[in-house]
Amino acid sequence: DAGVIQSPRHEVTEMGQEVTLRCKPISGHNSLFWYRQTMMRGLELLIYFNNNVPIDDSGMPEDRFSAKMPNASFSTLKIQPSEPRDSAVYFCASKDGLATYNEQFFGPGTRLTVL
Amino acid sequence: QQQVKQSPQSLIVQKGGISIINCAYENTAFDYFPWYQQFPGKGPALLIAIRPDVSEKKEGRFTISFNKSAKQFSLHIMDSQPGDSATYFCAARGTSGGSYIPTFGRGTSLIVHP
């Protein structure tokens, strides 16, 4: 299996622009998580889905952030409009079964820089 | 959010030495304690994990020690190697209620000098 796939790997954009990050979870995994990692705040959970349904988005920092999972093999995290403080590495992770001891697998991340 | 407190923030060890990273948790519903290893430019990857029915788990040079009464667990890296240089995260979660979402420590940056 190719693991969790994220694209793009790097994104540089200007303040005010829309940014869309993409994730393809591991086939067969029914739980998907979006995290943000910064030096200041560490690894933060933004939102997670179970069977394509958003379960908890309380970690989403503002209304500028939105996430969708239209099907079991694809999810997006969108920031509109983007701001410099959104600069971070964004990770997607997937897991087989939400409330189990199964492990979650992280993608390689998207490094976002907002100028 | 329930916290997992991790220390130290950074650690420098000589090759062959022992690296020790400590974590403490609050939520007694947690019953699964994984450690993740993250290399620069990569996502975190599971290194080793323990459930509270045992006090220690060893996999090669990596050992988790678990103290349920103190709500503490630690990672020991024996014979540390330069290739172990990475950021290490502890985490804790359960399998019921809202505790199944992992809570991560802030991470420890480990540097192993040759």
Side-chain angles (χ1 to χ4, degrees), chain A residues 61-97:
Chain A
E62 299 172 32
D63 291 344
R64 298 184 296 106
F65 286 69
S66 62
K68 294 182 180 180
M69 191 165 186
N71 57 63
S73 60
F74 185 66
S75 178
T76 59
L77 178 67
K78 184 177 294 186
I79 308 172
Q80 166 62 20
S82 59
E83 296 182 3
R85 59 193 169 121
D86 301 330
S87 297
V89 181
Y90 292 80
F91 289 104
C92 175
S94 72
K95 182 172 182 278
D96 180 11

Side-chain angles (χ1 to χ4, degrees), chain B residues 1 15 21 23 27 36 47 70 84 87 98 109:
Chain B
Q1 183 179 5
K15 178 182 176 181
I21 305 171
C23 285
N27 190 341
Y36 291 84
L47 179 65
D84 298 331
T87 299
S109 175

Side-chain angles (χ1 to χ4, degrees), chain B residues 7-99:
Chain B
S7 63
Q9 185 175 353
S10 61
L11 183 60
I12 299 175
V13 175
Q14 293 296 316
K15 178 182 176 181
I18 302 173
S19 304
I20 301 174
I21 305 171
N22 300 298
C23 285
Y25 64 98
E26 299 173 357
N27 190 341
T28 56
F30 291 153
D31 61 359
Y32 182 69
F33 304 90
W35 284 88
Y36 291 84
Q37 181 185 55
Q38 184 181 24
F39 292 107
K42 305 291 186 181
L46 178 66
L47 179 65
I48 185 173
I50 194 169
R51 299 183 191 182
D53 53 342
V54 296
S55 61
E56 184 176 283
K57 183 174 182 179
K58 183 177 181 179
E59 290 184 1
R61 296 183 294 107
F62 300 90
T63 300
I64 300 177
S65 298
F66 183 81
N67 185 329
K68 187 174 182 178
S69 61
K71 292 187 286 186
Q72 296 176 346
F73 58 110
S74 60
L75 176 68
H76 295 235
I77 306 175
M78 310 299 289
D79 188 26
S80 299
Q81 299 295 312
D84 298 331
S85 297
T87 299
Y88 293 82
F89 294 92
C90 63
R93 62 178 171 91
T95 54
S96 63
S99 66

Side-chain angles (χ1 to χ4, degrees), chain A residues 6-114:
Chain A
Q6 291 186 247
S7 64
R9 293 294 313 278
H10 302 272
E11 177 79 31
V12 180
T13 190
E14 294 187 347
M15 182 174 63
Q17 296 298 305
E18 177 180 295
V19 175
T20 299
L21 311 182
R22 298 173 176 80
C23 175
K24 177 179 170 56
I26 292 173
S27 177
H29 285 190
N30 63 345
S31 297
L32 183 140
F33 307 79
W34 282 101
Y35 291 89
R36 178 172 67 175
Q37 185 177 41
T38 61
M39 289 295 293
M40 289 294 293
R41 302 176 67 90
L43 196 61
E44 301 175 275
L45 177 65
L46 300 178
I47 184 172
Y48 67 96
F49 296 81
N50 192 45
N51 294 323
N52 310 337
V53 176
I55 303 300
D56 186 351
D57 65 354
S58 60
M60 298 284 261
E62 299 172 32
D63 291 344
R64 298 184 296 106
F65 286 69
S66 62
K68 294 182 180 180
M69 191 165 186
N71 57 63
S73 60
F74 185 66
S75 178
T76 59
L77 178 67
K78 184 177 294 186
I79 308 172
Q80 166 62 20
S82 59
E83 296 182 3
R85 59 193 169 121
D86 301 330
S87 297
V89 181
Y90 292 80
F91 289 104
C92 175
S94 72
K95 182 172 182 278
D96 180 11
L98 189 59
T100 69
Y101 289 117
N102 292 340
E103 196 43 59
Q104 63 177 343
F105 293 85
F106 284 81
T110 295
R111 180 173 295 277
L112 173 64
T113 302
V114 183

